[in-house]
Amino acid sequence: MQNRRIKIRDREIGEGCPCYIIAEMSANHAGDLNRAIEIIYAAKEAGADCIKIQTYTPDTMTINSDKKYFHIDNGTWKGENLYSLYQKANTPWEWHGRLKEEAEKAGIDFFSTPFDKSAVDFLEELGVEFYKIASFEIVDIPLIKYIASKKKPIIMSTGMATLGEIEEAVETIRAQGNDNFCLLKCSSAYPAVPEQMNLKTITHLKDTFNVPVGLSDHSLGSVSAVVAVAMGASVIEKHFCLSRKIKNPDSSFSMEPDEFKRMVEDVRAAEKSIGKVSYSISENEAVSRSHRRSIFAVKDIKKGEAFTEENIKVIRPADGLEPKYFEQVLNRKASEDIERGTPLKWTMIS
């Protein structure tokens, strides 16, 4: 079954289309609106198709509590309290309208990840045209149902999810009459390590759900992104910052502009390299073909003289008879005088 395409704004995404590349701002604004705006323009300059933010407040994510349940014991945010982490990382809602305007000025798509219904309502009022569902929210079936009911395109990450959980989320979206969505393979570790990426899952997700599939990439560098594209990824999402020296909850695993730009260039080069199934001879290969081997006279040969392994050889270039005829030619006689260094032709053989 051929994988479908989806449409985001005027852009088709899926097999046969250029990869859609998302720069995830997340917390990299570090609480500064001007920096957030600068990130938008830097992402556009680096080759991103889209800038993504997140729409939540500490109170829409959790409660302010010091109980052990609300403390992070390992990983990038070890020692943090959930509420205080979201205080540091959130993008103020009063910025959203301005950021959307700046994205439009920059000529880059803009969307967001809502984390509860109030965030969806807020983004609807802003006129946001498509949505992201985060890996952590793939089990929030009521939220997914509410987002899908808006009938707008959805990009959904699948990090940490079992196949059954992904299936339930997909069925929830489709039950709302919304088929305009794609899935992102994701390793929800920050940063993710190569041995846990399991990029073969991209192909399985495509075959299982018959939708475009991409990669939400939290690994360092661009290797996973390029490999994912080679395996059929239609979307790449990567955290983007101006500098990792600007410390915030996401800076340690985010790409700086020059790194992001190189990744985009590598992805575009990979797309060209993948091409199509073809056994035709390219223009450059046609030149190289002339340097293949063929049968040449390697000694002066007199008319009537027999061809032997001493006076003819298979050598480069390809101006003579093809090597496969060598044994047929041996012991036959020359129909004319042949000078050393002459490519052998059938007319020279009696």
Side-chain angles (χ1 to χ4, degrees):
M1 191 184 294
Q2 188 176 12
N3 296 96
R4 295 188 311 106
R5 295 179 179 181
I6 68 166
K7 194 164 186 179
I8 289 179
R9 304 187 73 188
D10 57 353
R11 173 82 177 263
E12 282 199 323
I13 296 172
E15 258 177 32
C17 303
C19 185
Y20 189 71
I21 300 179
I22 301 168
E24 162 73 90
M25 183 187 305
S26 194
N28 282 304
H29 52 70
D32 185 325
L33 173 59
N34 290 327
R35 186 179 292 121
I37 293 168
E38 192 177 348
I39 285 172
I40 290 171
Y41 286 90
K44 171 66 177 178
E45 180 68 22
D49 298 300
C50 179
I51 189 80
K52 185 180 85 69
I53 64 170
Q54 299 182 354
T55 306
Y56 65 85
T57 68
D59 294 298
T60 65
M61 293 291 269
T62 188
I63 60 171
N64 191 1
S65 171
D66 280 328
K67 287 187 179 294
K68 62 180 181 180
Y69 315 108
F70 300 92
H71 283 274
I72 302 171
D73 296 325
N74 47 55
T76 300
W77 303 301
K78 182 178 179 179
E80 287 277 7
N81 168 274
L82 283 177
Y83 192 87
S84 64
L85 176 65
Y86 299 137
Q87 275 184 319
K88 295 174 188 174
N90 82 97
T91 301
W93 291 23
E94 58 269 23
W95 292 5
H96 281 46
R98 174 73 185 280
L99 296 180
K100 184 171 180 289
E101 288 172 13
E102 294 293 342
E104 288 164 1
K105 286 182 194 173
I108 189 171
D109 290 348
F110 172 92
F111 78 135
S112 184
T113 307
F115 288 84
D116 79 323
K117 288 184 178 181
S118 70
V120 178
D121 293 340
F122 175 73
L123 292 170
E124 282 290 297
E125 288 175 17
L126 272 185
V128 170
E129 297 178 66
F130 57 114
Y131 289 105
K132 171 76 188 291
I133 294 172
S135 290
F136 288 81
E137 273 55 51
I138 197 168
V139 292
D140 190 345
I141 296 302
L143 175 63
I144 293 172
K145 181 178 179 181
Y146 193 62
I147 293 171
S149 73
K150 304 305 177 184
K151 301 293 195 290
K152 292 181 178 177
I154 294 169
I155 296 174
M156 181 164 65
S157 283
T158 62
M160 304 171 292
T162 64
L163 186 58
E165 288 168 340
I166 297 169
E167 186 173 17
E168 189 174 10
V170 166
E171 288 174 354
T172 299
I173 294 170
R174 286 180 166 153
Q176 294 301 306
N178 190 338
D179 276 320
N180 206 17
F181 68 96
C182 74
L183 302 174
L184 300 186
K185 171 72 182 80
C186 177
S187 175
S188 294
Y190 302 87
V193 292
E195 56 268 29
Q196 294 174 1
M197 295 298 290
N198 295 318
L199 295 178
K200 280 188 175 181
T201 312
I202 290 170
T203 305
H204 188 260
L205 283 170
K206 286 172 69 176
D207 294 342
T208 302
F209 298 106
N210 193 35
V211 295
V213 176
L215 175 69
S216 179
D217 186 15
H218 302 136
S219 66
L220 301 176
S222 58
V223 170
S224 292
V226 173
V227 172
V229 170
M231 300 195 76
S234 298
V235 178
I236 296 292
E237 179 185 79
K238 196 86 170 175
H239 279 70
F240 183 90
C241 67
L242 297 178
S243 170
R244 281 187 291 275
K245 292 178 182 176
I246 302 169
K247 296 302 179 185
N248 65 80
D250 294 336
S251 57
S252 65
F253 55 87
S254 296
M255 270 190 161
E256 294 181 351
D258 60 333
E259 297 167 331
F260 196 95
K261 184 176 182 180
R262 281 197 299 272
M263 179 193 74
V264 173
E265 290 168 351
D266 288 345
V267 163
R268 299 305 178 209
E271 288 175 324
K272 290 176 184 175
S273 300
I274 293 162
K276 60 188 178 184
V277 175
S278 171
Y279 297 98
S280 62
I281 309 303
S282 71
E283 191 174 324
N284 291 340
E285 283 179 320
V287 173
S288 296
R289 278 170 70 93
S290 67
H291 300 299
R292 283 175 162 183
R293 288 176 177 256
S294 65
I295 305 173
F296 269 75
V298 294
K299 288 184 178 179
D300 290 339
I301 302 171
K302 297 293 184 185
K303 181 178 178 180
E305 187 180 342
F307 295 108
T308 69
E309 292 190 14
E310 282 71 43
N311 61 20
I312 62 170
K313 280 189 178 179
V314 173
I315 60 172
R316 294 184 183 186
D319 297 81
L321 293 174
E322 292 179 55
K324 65 183 178 181
Y325 298 117
F326 186 76
E327 290 184 2
Q328 291 183 38
V329 172
L330 283 178
N331 300 318
R332 294 175 69 172
K333 294 182 179 177
S335 61
E336 59 186 77
D337 289 346
I338 305 168
E339 191 177 335
R340 180 180 182 271
T342 301
L344 214 62
K345 307 293 183 186
W346 284 119
T347 55
M348 300 172 181
I349 302 165
S350 61

